[in-house]
Structures are given as C-alpha cells and as structure tokens.
Amino acid sequence: MEQGFLPICREDMQAQGWDSVDFVYVSGDAYVDHPSFGHAIITRVLSAHGYRVGIIPQPDWKDKKSIMEFGEPRLGFLVSAGNMDSMVNHYSVSKKRRKTDAFTPGGVMGKRPDYAVVVYSNLIRQVYKHTPIILGGIEASLRRLAHYDYWSDRLKRSVLLDSGADIISYGMGERSIIEIAEALDSGIAVKDITFIDGTVCKVKSLDSVYDAVILPSFEELREDKLNYARSFYTQYCNTDPFSGKRLAEPYQDAHLYVVQNPPSKPLSQEEMDDVYAYPYMRTYHPSYEKDGGVPAITEVKFSLTSNRGCFGGCSFCALTFHQGRILQTRSHESLIREAKLLIQDKDFKGYIHDVGGPTANFRQPSCQKQLTLGVCKEKQCLFPKPCRNLKVSHEDYIILLRKLKALPGVKKVFIRSGIRFDYVMADKDDAFLRELCKDHVSGQLKVAPEHVSDVVLRKMGKPENSVYQAFVKKYKQMNQQLGKNQFLVPYLMSSHPGSGLKEAVELAEHIRDLGYMPEQVQDFYPTPSTISTCMYYTGVDPRNMEPVYVPKNPHEKAMQRALIQYRDPKNYQLVLEALKKAGRMDLVGFDKHCLIRPRQKVKDGEHQIHTKQGKTQKKTIRNVHKKKFKKQTGR
C-alpha cells in the first residue's frame, strides 16, 4: 500500500521507482485523496491489491497529449466524470451555466467537458486504439443503458457505445474493479470479460450470455416512449444483487447488445471498514494550494460516512440504481478510528459536522431477509406505509453518537445528512428524537418533506403529508421538553411530475402557515435513471403505466417556483398570474390567509392606491413623486 499521494505525473511515478503503471485513472475532478471521493477509494483499493495506479485529474480534453502523461498503462484506463454527473455539475435545472465548480481548484468552472466520460474515452481512443477502457463513477453508472438526457432532450444510447469504452463498473465498484483487474492481469482479453457482477459490457451475440432478460431494442425505445417506460421499470426491478437478473439491450443498427450483469454483492461490515482504513491523505493534492485548494473538501473534511445504500426509495433519487437499497454500515470501531484522525487535524475545532450517509438514521438493513433474498421488487420499505417486516431501531446509532461525543477533543457531533422523519415516526421509542434534539442539532434541523400535496407525494414515493405534520408536532414538543428553541428547515421541490398549479398553490399556502420563506427552492431536475425522470420523459408512471401530469413549460415551472417564494417582490407578477390561472384569486387581498396584496396601478394619468379598506385614493402622479422625493431626501 502506497503512503502519500499517488502519482499524478511522470516525475511522481519515477519517484516511486516505477517505470510504468498498471492503470491510469482519468478523473473529471481534481485529485482529493479522501474517502468521500470515488477516485480516491478505487485507486486505494487497487493499490492495496498490489496494482500500480497513476491519476490524471482534469486533463485538457482538447489536447491528446494530456492523457499520455504515464504512457500506455499495462492493464487499462479507468475513466470517471467525477463525483457528479458532468452535466449536473455544469448546468442548473434551467440549463444555465453554473459559475463555480466545487470539485476544481479555486472553484473554477470549465476544467472538465460536458459528457465527460464520453469525451475522455474518445480522447484516449485517439492515441491508444486497443488499450482497455473501464468507465466508472456516477455519470457512467446512471447512463449504463439507454437513458433520457435532459440537456439534449432526447433518448441516448448506452454511454458504453458513445464512449468507445469496453466495460462499465457501475454502482459502488470496489468488488468489480478488482475482478476486472485480476481478469486482465491473467491475460483474459477485455472483450471476453462479460461475466463480472456489477459490470456492463457489449457483445455481438448472446452466445456467451446466459439467462438474460431481453429488453426492447434502442430503436423500439425511440419509436415509442411507453416502450421506454416499460424497459426502465424492468431495470428498476432488477437493481438488487440477490434477485436482479442479467439484462440485454439490443442495438440493431450496431448489430450488438449491451449487457448489464447483476449488481455486485454488498460489502460486509468488515469490508466496509477496510475500505475506510486505507492510508488516505484526507485532503487535496498539494499542487492545488496555489489555486486556493479544492472547495469540495470543506463539506466532508470533518464528517464521517457511517453507511451506504438507502431503502427510502424516493422516486427522484438515483441511489436505487447506484448504491442500491441494501444498507451497508461501518463498525463503531472503524468510525471512532477515523474520528481520532479528525481530532488530530490542525484545523479541527472540536466539531464533527456529520455522521451519516444517504440517510443518516439508517444503520441496518430494513429487514433480515434482504441479506439472502434481496429487497422486494415491487414493494417499498417505507412507502406508502412502513412495511410490517420493517425493523425500526435507532439504538445502534444512538450508541455510536454517544461514543463519538465522548471522545477527548470533541465538543459537538452534528447530524447534517438527511433524516428520514417517517422512520423516526415509525419508531415507538422516542429515545433517538430526544438524543437528536438534545445534542445533535445546531439550531436548525433540515428535513425533506419535499411537498405537502398527497397527489405529488405519491409520485415522489414520499409519505403522506400527515406523517410530516405529526413529526413537526413531535419535534416541537420534544424541544419544549428540553427547553430548546430549535427549528425545522424543510426542503421543498417545485414542478415534480404530478404537480400542477393547484398543488403548487397548496404548497404555497403551507409555507404561508409556516411563517417563513425558503431562501432556496429546488426545481425538479430530471437526472438520468430515476423514476421521476422517466415520468418526465414519458408522461406515465412506469410502476403502473398511468398518465402523469408533467409541468414542462418553462413559464409554468417559473410560476411554481415563484409560489414557494411568494413573499419575494420580484416574484409578484408570476405569483399573481399563477393564482389567476389556478382560480385562486381569493389569495389576493389583505386577509391573513392571502399570499399577496393588490398592487397600485397607474391609469389615465392618475395613481391608484389600493388601501386595506379596499378604497381607492386618487392622486396625481406628480404629487406621488413629490412625496417620495421628500421622504427620500428630507427636503
């Protein structure tokens, strides 16, 4: 196992005493050797197994020399867009270019290309015609089969074909990458590596593929969106490592098949501990210091990853396709060892910022059968109601938090990852809620009800609004008992499939009753490989093929977003228009239940001012301007 940073240039490689490398890892992110970054984990796993790995972070995709830094690797290139899909990294939901990139030194935007894995792989192919290329990371993982691409507004082929790569290691790749490396190292040609779980390959015939479920061809998917909805749901039902089937997607124009093998088996707790015990440097490469470092490290530097996977099953989340629904956890001992490393850091101020994962308060599989039989294909653990087989307990998490809090040098342990409030409500014991409010909230607890309309919540795969309202009441009562003045900050989403103006107004009324305006609004973002994105593209819910209303018009989306921030004066006209269209002009007025007040109008040289009594006082525009001038200047 290599100590220090892995090589990022030929000089580093030679300093290691190497004349070549086994793998070159090309990443769209800057090199940050921290276990929150995919490139750090995969390169450390390979290094631990004796492979020499060089890293080329953010190569110049316009210059093929940039990927020739280490020469031709002995076994292959590993290519990833980084910790985010490059298109999400580059563009807002309104398709406007973002100004900063947290995964680049100095936060500079533009250091990676759009559709990064495709561009990087094609760049490599210009130089190395036959060297194996293995794709990984979330961009490749979620684009592994035909997928709807929001930015081009069309259905795209598997990224394996457009990139010219040989294999995709999808999901969490610790197992599959080692099996690929061992197969290549043993002399197996990359075109013959068609059998590894957690991988996607391409074949010209199905002679070497057994027990595959044949999906509709890409041509059939393009011809009829309903074919895509059916195909997507087949994929969704085969994301489990124990029950998932092998899938084959035909491409008749290319006369080949893209084959998805079943997902890799989840890591045991011992294996998870090993992954996080590698000698990470836990910061960005020192070459970035001159540029101000890599901003993304700030959020994770003093946080602990407690688990992987999520059985929450939200429709708009891609975790089902990437990490899966089976919980994988680290041991208390592993987390305490890492916490002690944090405490030794010169910048540590006594605060552990987070102990969590996709969902902080999940610390065990939802039921024991998952570890042998897998998750239920067509049922959710928490939606629409908690499953009767759901094992609800926060006991292990409470003990873990108490151990961390008791470490010398630790002042406070916060929880910033998402809390599943429906899981909290399903727990008959209030011990965790008490512990949470007492010791682990920094004045505000962020939760994600997402919406208040049950119509929309059903499409989101979220619990009924009544569950959230019950949690709000319980949270307030607990804080009162503890003598604390702590608040809830709800994450809310506009324009999700199923949300019309009626539902958007319902959400605005809820915000009115809360008495605050959210500073940020998440407009639904159609990212690859989610149920919600499938609904957005096809207009049907793939789970039952029923039609779904989808707000696509940019102006309607702007109205829905404005309703959430109806108090902002800039949104007045959009809110007024939305209320008119929704037939809710009863919300325009001076009563407490109203969202906005009538505004003054200018008509025929007179300035009309609507007073609270509804009377109209007429004054000349000149007089109004005089009064304003006097008020502003004091003259």
Side-chain angles (χ1 to χ4, degrees), residues 224-397:
D224 188 346
K225 290 181 178 180
L226 296 183
N227 284 337
Y228 178 74
R230 296 184 189 99
S231 178
F232 178 85
Y233 193 56
T234 300
Q235 297 169 43
Y236 182 82
C237 291
N238 286 279
T239 54
D240 182 79
F242 295 97
S243 62
K245 303 294 184 186
R246 190 168 283 102
L247 306 176
E249 187 171 73
Y251 287 81
Q252 294 169 357
D253 57 350
H255 305 291
L256 54 72
Y257 298 85
V258 172
V259 178
Q260 175 184 298
N261 290 301
S264 294
K265 296 295 186 292
L267 298 181
S268 67
Q269 189 167 87
E270 291 75 18
E271 290 168 327
M272 279 276 283
D273 288 354
D274 288 344
V275 165
Y276 287 87
Y278 295 137
Y280 303 100
M281 299 302 291
R282 307 191 65 79
T283 188
Y284 49 78
H285 194 274
S287 62
Y288 304 137
E289 200 68 57
K290 66 183 186 303
D291 301 309
V294 180
I297 190 66
T298 305
E299 287 297 314
V300 298
K301 186 172 184 180
F302 298 118
S303 297
L304 301 172
T305 300
S306 163
N307 61 56
R308 278 186 189 172
C310 180
F311 52 78
C314 298
S315 303
F316 48 81
C317 180
L319 273 169
T320 296
F321 271 72
H322 190 60
Q323 290 192 7
R325 290 167 56 192
I326 296 178
L327 251 288
Q328 300 156 70
T329 59
R330 294 169 61 189
S331 70
H332 292 191
E333 292 73 23
S334 170
L335 287 157
I336 289 169
R337 278 196 299 271
E338 186 175 359
K340 289 179 178 178
L341 293 176
L342 304 188
I343 294 167
Q344 293 170 13
D345 191 290
K346 62 181 177 57
D347 295 323
F348 185 70
K349 306 299 184 185
Y351 301 99
I352 295 176
H353 296 161
D354 189 26
V355 183
T359 299
N361 55 323
F362 289 171
R363 276 286 299 174
Q364 61 196 9
S366 58
C367 67
Q368 288 303 308
K369 81 175 189 67
Q370 289 182 0
L371 298 179
T372 53
L373 302 176
V375 298
C376 299
K377 283 192 174 185
E378 298 182 355
K379 292 181 180 179
Q380 293 288 344
C381 303
L382 282 165
F383 174 81
K385 303 284 185 184
C387 175
R388 63 182 181 182
N389 295 320
L390 177 68
K391 184 179 179 183
V392 182
S393 174
H394 290 90
E395 183 179 355
D396 180 71
Y397 194 35

Side-chain angles (χ1 to χ4, degrees), residues 140-141 144-145 158 160 166-170 180 193-194 196-202 247 257-261:
S141 184
R144 58 188 185 257
L145 295 175
S158 164
L160 193 59
D166 298 287
I167 305 174
I168 298 172
S169 168
Y170 73 87
I180 291 169
I193 303 176
T194 62
I196 295 174
D197 285 351
T199 65
V200 176
C201 60
K202 52 189 178 184
L247 306 176
Y257 298 85
V258 172
V259 178
Q260 175 184 298
N261 290 301

Side-chain angles (χ1 to χ4, degrees), residues 38-58:
H39 61 251
I41 288 181
I42 294 302
T43 54
R44 288 295 181 182
V45 167
L46 285 166
S47 181
H49 283 77
Y51 295 100
R52 296 176 175 181
V53 186
I55 300 176
I56 303 180
Q58 299 186 315

Side-chain angles (χ1 to χ4, degrees), residues 97-115:
R97 190 80 171 180
R98 300 190 195 275
K99 295 180 180 179
T100 59
D101 179 354
F103 297 93
T104 295
V108 175
M109 176 54 75
K111 292 296 185 180
R112 81 185 84 211
D114 289 353
Y115 305 108

